[in-house]
Amino acid sequence: LVFVKAKHENAIKGVMTTEVGTGFMYKGGNKGAIASRMQIYESTFCFVACHLAAHQENVSRRNQDFSEVLRRIVFTEEKSQYSNLSALLFANESTITIPDQDLVVWLGDLNYRIDLPLEEVIRRLEAKDWVALLKHDQLNQALEKAHGAFLNFNEGKISFPPTYKCNKHEMGYDVGTESQTPRTPAWTDRILWKIHEKYDEMTSTGSTTDQGEEFRSQFLAELDSYRRHEVFGSDHRPVSAVFNVTASRLNQDKRANVFSEIHRKLLPKLNLMPHRINLEMVQLGYYPVESTVLSNDGVVPVEFEVDSAEKPEWLTVEPTQGTLPAASVMKLTVCANLTKNSELFKDREYAVKGLSSQAFPLTSKLKINVRNALPGTLEVESAFLNCSFLGSSLETMIEQFPSEEEHIPEPLLLLCKLLTRMDPSKFNAKTPREEISSIFLNMPTLGESVDILSASAVGTCLLEVMRSMDGALIVGDAAAEIQSCDVTNPAMANKTIEYLPEPNRTVARKVFATFNSTFEGDLSAWEALVSASTR
């Protein structure tokens, strides 16, 4: 039985009790132990009451009984109760055993005897020469061995007479008669204790002195008294030990700060650099790409996902989700993905008429959800260049924008005329977008500013109009033949064009002739033209 004062009742948790038998075949219940384990505040205590093998000669069996109890006592953990801070810091095993506890008190009828003849024991008893008798005490001899029973256990100083075998109802010892087996008095009833070795290790290693001192100041177990009591009715006399124990107690404020700091360090930390990107002007036929870098500055992996509900349909993001290991980076690519069916074209706010074009600002905030953390935000700024002639089929363009030349829509004819007025030059596929966007925005008045335009910019606009068309200019076998033609032999391409149906034939003649005239022999211009025409 373990009794606790009411004032400590709420500090007790994780109470577990179990027992083992060490009697017949190490199973019988006439010998064995019962153990109770509990947590008081933040320290763990274990009380083992045992009855070991009897008789003078059974020292080895008693030692074995001790080892069996130590080995076989295993407490069943209740996870909701077991929250010992010391165990969390030091224990690696999931099972709870006797050695795991901060303080173990081992008591009972251990049955260790005195290895001296009866006559000498009686003589020493009468002289109260406890020191001489204790030199021959079997338990003391075991404690002195490096690998003996009760290793690292402590016992208080014995300054009282042996506790067995006493007269049941009066003082003195029952040593038997001549016809009985003599019973030599002995200290069979003992109380030992042991403090977990971690408290010594923390102060002895040197590397953890500060921590060790903290724990040592928090947990102390000192023996105050160890005595025998003259209670009659049994051939044993009971013994008691009084300990002064200072249990570890959590500083709740420090605990909250520590957990807060740990929680902060373990939170996923996703950063974006930059957190704002500017896409070039978005239009049909041109799909600008930018990127940002995701970095995990924390100590745990980050699981992220781009929130599809808040991503506009004119943008694509790669990757849309993933796991970023600790201290690593990943590129997040953002690309315009404008099609004729995009919602932007259905919004009257962005409507344009005729050959005129207009640029409308676009802003979007991409939400990047992070598991177990606040989401991140990537701001995307761009502009939507809406040209009414982009994205239509050739037939629709001819119908909506007829020109002075049959089968050729006005936007294509205007760009071709501009190119024919320019001096032959090399094609620059990396013409600044500002120049290209300016041409689209000023289509009705382009003839007046031909001197400040570059051939590459006008040629790129022509290619983007064809690239945006609903349906390629050259398809089928003709496309394959055009793709196999050489820039040095335009006649072969012209021959293939003649087999195209109208209005594709007329438009292809005009465009190829204009391009070959302005960018004569330029391989990059030829490849760009073939690609935009055939797709």
Side-chain angles (χ1 to χ4, degrees):
L1 297 177
V2 179
F3 297 91
V4 179
K5 288 186 176 181
K7 65 180 182 180
H8 298 303
E9 181 180 2
N10 293 331
I12 297 176
K13 53 189 172 182
V15 178
M16 306 173 198
T17 301
T18 188
E19 60 186 44
V20 295
T22 61
F24 180 68
M25 297 186 69
Y26 288 102
K27 298 293 183 182
N30 63 316
K31 297 292 188 289
I34 181 169
S36 290
R37 174 262 177 212
M38 66 197 67
Q39 180 178 331
I40 305 177
Y41 295 105
E42 298 305 321
S43 298
T44 54
F45 295 75
C46 181
F47 302 96
V48 183
C50 70
H51 189 191
L52 304 185
H55 304 304
Q56 181 86 22
E57 67 278 6
N58 285 338
V59 182
S60 296
R61 178 57 189 264
R62 283 188 280 277
N63 294 342
Q64 183 62 33
D65 285 354
F66 164 79
S67 299
E68 283 294 302
V69 171
L70 196 65
R71 181 181 67 85
R72 290 165 53 195
I73 287 287
V74 177
F75 298 100
T76 302
E77 179 178 359
E78 297 179 21
K79 293 183 180 179
S80 62
Q81 295 179 330
Y82 189 63
S83 58
N84 178 27
L85 180 62
S86 299
L88 289 174
L89 290 172
F90 299 102
N92 295 319
E93 302 297 328
S94 58
T95 56
I96 305 174
T97 63
I98 293 173
D100 294 332
Q101 312 311 306
D102 293 326
L103 175 64
V104 178
V105 178
W106 199 298
L107 67 155
D109 182 2
L110 307 189
N111 258 322
Y112 285 97
R113 309 303 173 94
I114 299 173
D115 285 333
L116 284 175
L118 174 58
E119 294 77 11
E120 186 172 352
V121 170
I122 295 298
R123 183 169 57 84
R124 298 288 186 182
L125 277 176
E126 293 173 349
K128 296 184 179 181
D129 192 355
W130 315 136
V131 175
L133 291 174
L134 287 168
K135 288 182 180 179
H136 300 277
D137 177 74
Q138 294 173 347
L139 179 56
N140 281 345
Q141 292 173 350
L143 289 170
E144 291 174 357
K145 294 181 180 178
H147 302 287
F150 293 94
L151 181 65
N152 295 325
F153 274 81
N154 303 288
E155 185 179 19
K157 180 181 179 181
I158 294 178
S159 57
F160 49 83
T163 60
Y164 176 83
K165 177 178 182 164
C166 301
N167 292 321
K168 292 184 179 182
H169 304 292
E170 60 183 359
M171 299 295 290
Y173 293 92
D174 179 7
V175 296
T177 62
E178 293 183 0
S179 60
Q180 297 174 324
T181 302
R183 301 294 182 123
T184 304
W187 287 281
T188 58
D189 307 281
R190 312 287 275 268
I191 299 175
L192 297 91
W193 82 94
K194 177 178 179 290
I195 297 176
H196 198 291
E197 58 267 17
K198 69 190 174 203
Y199 295 103
D200 291 326
E201 290 175 358
M202 286 187 294
T203 54
S204 63
T205 58
S207 61
T208 55
T209 299
D210 293 340
Q211 187 183 27
E213 289 300 328
E214 178 184 351
F215 272 85
R216 182 166 288 281
S217 64
Q218 291 178 343
F219 182 81
L220 292 173
E222 297 177 344
L223 181 66
D224 183 69
S225 67
Y226 188 30
R227 59 184 291 238
R228 161 181 150 161
H229 298 270
E230 302 306 325
V231 177
F232 299 126
S234 168
D235 55 2
H236 289 263
R237 292 293 183 264
V239 295
S240 67
V242 176
F243 295 90
N244 291 321
V245 178
T246 302
S248 301
R249 297 186 67 172
L250 278 179
N251 183 314
Q252 295 298 334
D253 291 338
K254 287 185 177 179
R255 181 179 185 273
N257 292 337
V258 169
F259 273 90
S260 177
E261 179 66 14
I262 293 173
H263 183 262
R264 186 185 65 79
K265 289 182 178 180
L266 292 181
L267 277 178
K269 294 181 181 178
L270 183 68
N271 288 325
L272 293 86
M273 187 58 67
H275 64 274
R276 179 186 293 110
I277 59 176
N278 291 288
L279 277 176
E280 292 178 316
M281 195 172 292
V282 177
Q283 68 178 63
L284 283 173
Y286 178 69
Y287 311 103
V289 178
E290 288 292 342
S291 63
T292 186
V293 174
L294 302 179
S295 64
N296 180 0
D297 300 330
V299 297
V300 296
V302 169
E303 296 181 28
F304 71 91
E305 182 176 10
V306 178
D307 195 330
S308 58
E310 299 191 19
K311 182 184 73 66
E313 47 86 33
W314 57 271
L315 279 180
T316 59
V317 181
E318 289 293 337
T320 57
Q321 61 183 5
T323 300
L324 197 58
S328 64
V329 297
M330 178 185 295
K331 184 166 75 171
L332 189 74
T333 302
V334 178
C335 176
N337 185 31
L338 199 62
T339 68
K340 192 63 178 177
N341 296 322
S342 294
E343 294 295 325
L344 291 176
F345 292 105
K346 301 175 184 179
D347 193 332
R348 291 187 178 183
E349 181 183 348
Y350 303 129
V352 293
K353 295 181 179 180
L355 277 180
S356 64
S357 302
Q358 189 171 346
F360 303 93
L362 293 177
T363 59
S364 178
K365 290 185 178 182
L366 295 178
K367 183 180 178 182
I368 302 176
N369 294 320
V370 181
R371 185 177 181 183
N372 297 327
L374 295 175
T377 301
L378 175 63
E379 297 181 18
V380 181
E381 295 183 352
S382 185
F384 167 42
L385 177 62
N386 191 2
C387 302
S388 56
F389 49 83
L390 293 178
S392 303
S393 66
L394 181 58
E395 290 78 6
T396 300
M397 220 189 316
I398 293 171
E399 181 181 344
Q400 293 181 346
F401 307 101
S403 71
E404 61 190 43
E405 294 189 23
E406 187 180 11
H407 300 314
I408 301 179
E410 182 67 19
L412 288 177
L413 181 61
L414 179 59
L415 292 170
C416 286
K417 284 183 176 181
L418 284 173
L419 273 181
T420 57
R421 294 169 58 185
M422 295 181 172
D423 296 330
S425 64
K426 289 292 183 180
F427 181 71
N428 179 13
K430 296 182 178 180
T431 302
R433 288 306 303 179
E434 293 83 356
E435 190 174 352
I436 296 169
S437 298
S438 177
I439 293 173
F440 281 124
L441 287 169
N442 297 281
M443 284 286 284
T445 58
L446 280 177
E448 303 172 5
S449 54
V450 65
D451 294 336
I452 62 174
L453 299 176
S454 70
S456 292
V458 176
T460 299
C461 289
L462 182 59
L463 295 176
E464 289 187 359
V465 172
M466 290 193 296
R467 194 178 294 122
S468 74
M469 286 195 314
D470 184 10
L473 180 63
I474 304 173
V475 296
D477 294 339
E481 291 181 16
I482 288 288
Q483 290 168 351
S484 65
C485 291
D486 192 294
V487 65
T488 60
N489 189 11
M492 184 179 295
N494 293 334
K495 184 177 179 180
T496 301
I497 290 172
E498 293 304 315
Y499 290 99
L500 295 175
E502 290 291 1
N504 300 58
R505 179 170 61 241
T506 300
V507 173
R509 279 183 194 156
K510 189 73 173 179
V511 172
F512 271 74
T514 304
F515 240 74
N516 289 333
S517 173
T518 306
F519 305 109
E520 183 178 1
D522 190 320
L523 179 60
S524 62
W526 174 261
E527 291 177 343
L529 176 62
V530 171
S531 174
S533 302
T534 60
R535 273 182 280 154

